[in-house]
Amino acid sequence: MEPDVSIETSSMIRIAILPIGEIPHQTLRDYYSMFHHHHPIPLSSISSFYTEEQKSPFTSLPWDTGSLRFKFILCGSPPSPWEDFQSNRKILAVIGVFHCPLSPDLDSVIEEFDGVCKGYASALVTRCFGFFPCDSQRNLLELYSRHLWISQASLSSEEVIKAKKRRLGRAQKTIGDYCLLAGSPVDANAHYSTALELARLTTDYFWYAGALEGSICALLIDQIGQNNPALEDEVRYRFNSVILHYKKSFIQENSQRVSPLSFELEANLKLARYLCRRELSKDIVELLTSAADGAKSLIDATDRLVLYVEIARLFGTLGYHRKAAFFSRQVAQLYLQQDNRASISDNSHINEVGSRNADSGKMHHQSVVSLFESQWSMLQMVVLRDILLSAARAGDPLAAWSAAARLLRSYYPLITPVGQNGLARALANSSERLPSGTRCSDPALPFVRLYSFPQHSSQMDIVKRNPAREDWWAGSAPSGPFIYKPFSKGQPNDSSKKELIWIVGEPVQILVELANPCGFNLKVDSIYLSVHSGNLDPFPISIDLPPHSSKVVTLSGIPTSVGPVTIPGCTVHCFGVITEHLFRDVDNLLHGAAEGLVLSDPFRSCGSPRLKNISVPNISVAPPLPFLVSHVVGGDGAIILYEGEICDIYISLANAGTVPVEQAHISLSGKNQDSVLSIPYETLKSVLPLKPGAEVILPVTLKAWKLGLVDLDNASGIMGRQLKDSSSPSLLIHYAGNFIMCNPPPKKK
């Protein structure tokens, strides 16, 4: 069985891309991408190269609408035992690529290319391309051009003759395969019709099913771009017949003794992929369940592995995540059947895994858990790596990006720095093939955790206003149920979730910590708060994280409307894809690391100290409120007075908010209130309402009070700096905007 099969697979010409000489991995991927962009080629662009031979089977080539479809296989693939049955399984062309700066000897390049081509006997065309030649190589390339650019061979009829010796029907089926590969579905369907009739007369059920499967592919290729509502029903009816005839087939002359059951199961997968959408979920589940039941009869464990991976992917595409997880576990169990974990590592070419010695003080069951986790982690790495390689071969960049992201995020401690850089390149290469703004549900790097909610200068004590009282400010000390002072020092830590009030239009900030535990520089294109409630505009920032480092950054935003705010995490644009990083997932990871249940704490490995778990409080947004900003005119707020000295202090109040101050009240609190000789109550009331941007200056007359013995001791030797003690009076200004029905809370300063 093969991964990523579909009905259209029968129309794809397989071409092996082989590296010749020494080529860096990234350079090879760049060369491969050049060819990958040309997987469909319109027939109209190659019509000038075609010369029709006598008795050519291609009598109805669609030169205007048809195309050739190529499937490029990097580093090639071993021969399939079913190449005679399905011609699309053959490698029909070989392309060698070499990097001229690292391959100066062209003779050795030609010799190596000739050697690798011998392993592909079915190849009709061979080409070898050299890139970035130096001046001395250009002349040699002209001399070698006849050898490097081998002319196209004519279509050999040996396979057709061989098939005719078996049955004429099989020969017609083979001709139909080549017509389909040549981009002529009409010619292919004509030969398939003849093959079907001859196979039916000779009860050759296996080749009958193969010819019928090819005719379905020809039908789909011929109907591309046409809106035919009856096409889906026709495809479903014919494919059910394909599955039925594969069940009835038995191959006596199969020298490889490979069971035809794999074709029956592949047919189930092809039909399920063609129909894969939620409206037809019942039919798809039946097809996948039938395929899963047939897996028990497969002889080759590799076939079972491919089958389970494909079933898991189709269930995931359908949205049946539990079923997808079940078959993913089936894949893991196949790896668990291996006797030696080291052999799994060798066969999968996974990077080196460092062994960890358990501390002598740990209990035995913890050692067993650690051993199981290590084995399970290795199995998951193998599965993810296979998914990554399969997705890359199938041209599915999003699936490849997702697998590489999960490998890097979940198993970075088990991957060498070279392997980490390789996964980073895989993420970058996959993102280049994705549209801009693509989102993925699997986050990669960095790790993001909540650090703190700093108190902004505009977040003061907020009092719920009582419209029935004129002195609404009375008794508004910060102790009632309607007041919240964020993270006040000295207060006991309540186990219940705290509450936080933000104001529409006033900027807010949240501190988060980012960690890059890998061995490469990480560039985060943008990161901002993920707001599910939609009533806060976040501001994105970009940041660079050096290898094995962490950094605390400030994420800000502005509330836009009244209501609760939901911030489950951050949205990150990194490696060319947008992902959501949830605070809850990282908290669970850190908790598991503390309990020894996961591999590592990414923040501790970057040198960050262990933080107390911080939960997101219940955040609500209040309507716009005025915001008074105060300062002492002509000074920095530090004034030294001698006992009995009288001084006028001018306090400036400016409304930095977006709504006017409608009501305001000045009061005193603390000790020595009689030292405040005069307060301009009427001056403040006379300027109300204080509009946004307006300012008022209030003169306050203050008389220095007599210090006690304790105060004198504290004041000794502090001339020239501000004295702060508990005997100072405090000037409080309670202010509010206009009262509306939604009852906005005024501010207290």
Side-chain angles (χ1 to χ4, degrees):
M1 295 190 66
E2 296 182 345
D4 305 302
V5 292
S6 63
I7 298 178
E8 294 83 358
T9 302
S10 300
S11 65
M12 296 180 182
I13 299 174
R14 300 193 182 193
I15 300 177
I17 306 292
L18 305 178
I20 306 299
E22 182 180 354
I23 303 180
H25 176 75
Q26 182 59 41
T27 304
L28 178 61
R29 298 295 303 184
D30 293 339
Y31 293 161
Y32 171 76
S33 64
M34 296 180 185
F35 296 100
H36 186 73
H37 290 308
H38 300 285
H39 61 89
I41 295 183
L43 288 177
S44 58
S45 64
I46 62 173
S47 58
S48 59
F49 308 120
Y50 177 72
T51 302
E52 184 173 349
E53 302 289 343
Q54 189 177 7
K55 298 182 179 181
S56 171
F58 310 131
T59 59
S60 303
L61 282 169
W63 293 109
D64 296 330
T65 60
S67 62
L68 293 178
R69 294 168 177 82
F70 298 110
K71 183 177 182 179
F72 297 100
I73 303 176
L74 188 60
C75 299
S77 64
S80 169
W82 297 104
E83 289 182 350
D84 290 338
F85 176 63
Q86 290 181 336
S87 300
N88 67 287
R89 294 179 181 264
K90 294 182 179 181
I91 299 292
L92 295 180
V94 175
I95 295 179
V97 293
F98 65 96
H99 191 58
C100 290
L102 298 179
S103 299
D105 187 0
L106 296 184
D107 289 329
S108 62
V109 170
I110 295 174
E111 183 179 356
E112 182 179 350
F113 181 63
D114 289 340
V116 296
C117 288
K118 292 178 181 178
Y120 297 92
S122 59
L124 303 176
V125 179
T126 56
R127 295 285 189 272
C128 190
F129 294 90
F131 296 89
F132 301 103
C134 60
D135 294 336
S136 61
Q137 289 176 317
R138 293 181 185 274
N139 296 330
L140 291 175
L141 283 174
E142 293 179 1
L143 296 176
Y144 285 121
S145 60
R146 290 189 177 182
H147 192 95
L148 290 173
W149 299 80
I150 301 174
S151 60
Q152 180 174 353
S154 59
L155 179 62
S156 172
S157 61
E158 293 180 1
E159 294 162 325
V160 177
I161 297 174
K162 182 179 179 181
K164 284 183 177 179
K165 290 180 179 179
R166 294 192 297 265
R167 285 189 180 86
L168 183 60
R170 297 187 179 187
Q172 290 294 314
K173 193 265 184 190
T174 303
I175 297 174
D177 288 345
Y178 282 110
C179 290
L180 192 57
L181 293 175
S184 180
V186 175
D187 292 326
N189 192 58
H191 290 284
Y192 284 139
S193 298
T194 304
L196 289 171
E197 182 64 23
L198 293 174
R200 183 182 62 83
L201 294 175
T202 57
T203 64
D204 192 359
Y205 298 124
F206 186 64
W207 283 74
Y208 181 93
L212 184 58
E213 189 175 349
S215 69
I216 298 173
C217 179
L219 175 65
L220 287 179
I221 299 300
D222 189 46
Q223 296 286 330
I224 288 180
Q226 301 182 20
N227 186 13
N228 186 358
L231 179 62
E232 183 177 291
D233 293 336
E234 179 68 18
V235 170
R236 186 188 307 187
Y237 172 77
R238 292 194 187 185
F239 239 96
N240 286 328
S241 179
V242 169
I243 296 172
L244 178 63
H245 283 82
Y246 274 136
K247 287 182 178 180
K248 296 194 299 183
S249 63
F250 176 73
I251 308 176
Q252 296 178 344
E253 57 192 76
N254 180 19
S255 59
Q256 289 89 4
R257 294 293 185 266
V258 180
S259 171
L261 175 64
S262 60
F263 288 91
E264 175 194 339
L265 302 182
E266 273 193 358
N268 279 274
L269 295 178
K270 290 178 180 179
L271 182 57
R273 180 168 276 116
Y274 175 73
L275 302 174
C276 192
R277 60 181 186 272
R278 292 302 294 267
E279 306 91 80
L280 302 175
S281 58
K282 182 179 179 181
D283 298 332
I284 300 170
V285 170
E286 290 181 356
L287 289 169
L288 296 180
T289 303
S290 176
D293 292 339
K296 303 173 184 178
S297 303
L298 286 174
I299 301 174
D300 191 352
T302 304
D303 286 346
R304 291 200 299 272
L305 175 65
V306 172
L307 179 63
Y308 285 146
V309 170
E310 292 299 303
I311 292 176
R313 292 181 63 184
L314 287 171
F315 272 128
T317 304
L318 200 61
Y320 287 23
H321 300 298
R322 290 187 177 182
K323 290 183 179 292
F326 171 79
F327 284 100
S328 297
R329 288 193 294 270
Q330 295 291 100
V331 174
Q333 288 180 0
L334 288 177
Y335 283 106
L336 279 174
Q337 293 173 359
Q338 302 293 330
D339 295 330
N340 192 335
R341 188 184 65 183
S343 65
I344 300 177
S345 178
D346 293 337
N347 292 334
S348 61
H349 301 283
I350 288 292
N351 296 292
E352 295 177 8
V353 180
S355 61
R356 297 178 297 166
N357 296 323
D359 295 335
S360 58
K362 291 186 178 181
M363 293 187 297
H364 176 68
H365 76 277
Q366 291 179 330
S367 300
V368 174
V369 171
S370 299
L371 178 61
F372 175 78
E373 284 294 329
S374 178
Q375 293 177 341
W376 180 244
S377 299
M378 175 62 69
L379 295 176
Q380 290 177 312
M381 290 172 64
V382 172
V383 173
L384 287 174
R385 175 193 172 277
D386 287 344
I387 294 176
L388 171 59
L389 296 178
S390 298
R393 287 194 298 265
D396 188 349
L398 184 58
W401 195 99
S402 174
R406 294 176 64 183
L407 264 173
L408 192 60
R409 184 177 179 87
S410 301
Y411 305 106
Y412 68 91
L414 303 181
I415 303 176
T416 61
V418 176
Q420 293 174 0
N421 279 277
L423 289 175
R425 288 194 299 268
L427 290 169
N429 292 335
S430 299
S431 66
E432 292 176 356
R433 296 171 174 82
L434 292 171
S436 177
T438 299
R439 292 178 176 267
C440 183
S441 59
D442 296 313
L445 296 180
F447 291 90
V448 184
R449 70 173 171 181
L450 184 61
Y451 193 83
S452 71
F453 280 82
Q455 182 179 359
H456 195 269
S457 59
S458 65
Q459 291 175 343
M460 305 298 179
D461 291 337
I462 297 178
V463 182
K464 188 173 182 179
R465 187 175 178 182
N466 185 359
R469 295 185 57 177
E470 293 185 2
D471 56 341
W472 46 265
W473 58 84
S476 60
S479 60
F482 303 111
I483 302 173
Y484 169 58
K485 194 170 184 179
F487 306 106
S488 299
K489 294 183 178 180
Q491 294 184 357
N493 185 17
D494 190 1
S495 60
S496 61
K497 209 170 186 181
K498 294 183 178 296
E499 295 183 356
L500 184 62
I501 297 177
W502 288 343
I503 309 301
V504 171
E506 296 186 5
V508 295
Q509 294 180 341
I510 294 179
L511 296 183
V512 298
E513 185 175 10
L514 312 181
N516 173 24
C518 294
F520 55 84
N521 187 74
L522 179 64
K523 178 176 177 57
V524 180
D525 298 319
S526 70
I527 178 174
Y528 52 91
L529 297 174
S530 177
V531 185
H532 288 189
S533 52
N535 56 346
L536 185 142
D537 287 339
F539 301 144
I541 64 171
S542 60
I543 188 173
D544 288 334
L545 289 174
H548 307 292
S549 67
S550 64
K551 186 178 295 187
V552 178
V553 299
T554 301
L555 300 181
S556 57
I558 294 182
T560 57
S561 61
V562 177
V565 179
T566 305
I567 305 179
C570 297
T571 300
V572 176
H573 185 197
C574 189
F575 294 112
V577 173
I578 300 173
T579 56
E580 186 177 29
H581 295 237
L582 301 179
F583 296 139
R584 180 185 65 252
D585 293 343
V586 176
D587 290 341
N588 294 336
L589 173 67
L590 300 181
H591 178 73
E595 298 293 331
L597 301 178
V598 296
L599 295 173
S600 177
D601 183 339
F603 295 92
R604 295 295 298 277
S605 63
C606 295
S608 179
R610 178 174 297 176
L611 292 181
K612 188 177 181 180
N613 186 29
I614 298 175
S615 60
V616 179
N618 293 324
I619 306 173
S620 60
V621 177
L625 293 177
F627 174 38
L628 288 182
V629 178
S630 65
H631 71 274
V632 176
V633 179
D636 58 359
I639 301 176
I640 300 175
L641 299 177
Y642 294 95
E643 181 182 342
E645 184 179 355
I646 299 177
C647 177
D648 289 335
I649 301 175
Y650 295 90
I651 300 176
S652 171
L653 296 178
N655 185 3
T658 59
V659 296
V661 178
E662 300 287 347
Q663 299 181 29
H665 180 266
I666 303 177
S667 60
L668 294 173
S669 67
K671 298 180 180 180
N672 298 311
Q673 297 183 19
D674 55 351
S675 298
V676 182
L677 302 182
S678 66
I679 300 176
Y681 299 102
E682 298 301 326
T683 303
L684 180 59
K685 291 183 179 180
S686 64
V687 298
L688 297 178
L690 187 65
K691 296 183 179 180
E695 180 184 14
V696 60
I697 297 178
L698 303 178
V700 178
T701 304
L702 183 66
K703 179 181 179 181
W705 57 91
K706 182 178 180 181
L707 297 178
L709 295 178
V710 177
D711 299 327
L712 288 173
D713 293 337
N714 293 334
S716 60
I718 61 169
M719 296 299 294
R721 61 187 179 90
Q722 186 177 3
L723 172 65
K724 295 182 180 180
D725 59 82
S726 59
S727 64
S728 301
S730 299
L731 184 68
L732 302 179
I733 302 176
H734 296 80
Y735 59 95
N738 188 25
F739 180 79
I740 56 178
M741 293 305 296
C742 61
N743 195 15
K747 287 188 175 181
K748 184 198 74 174
K749 182 174 181 181

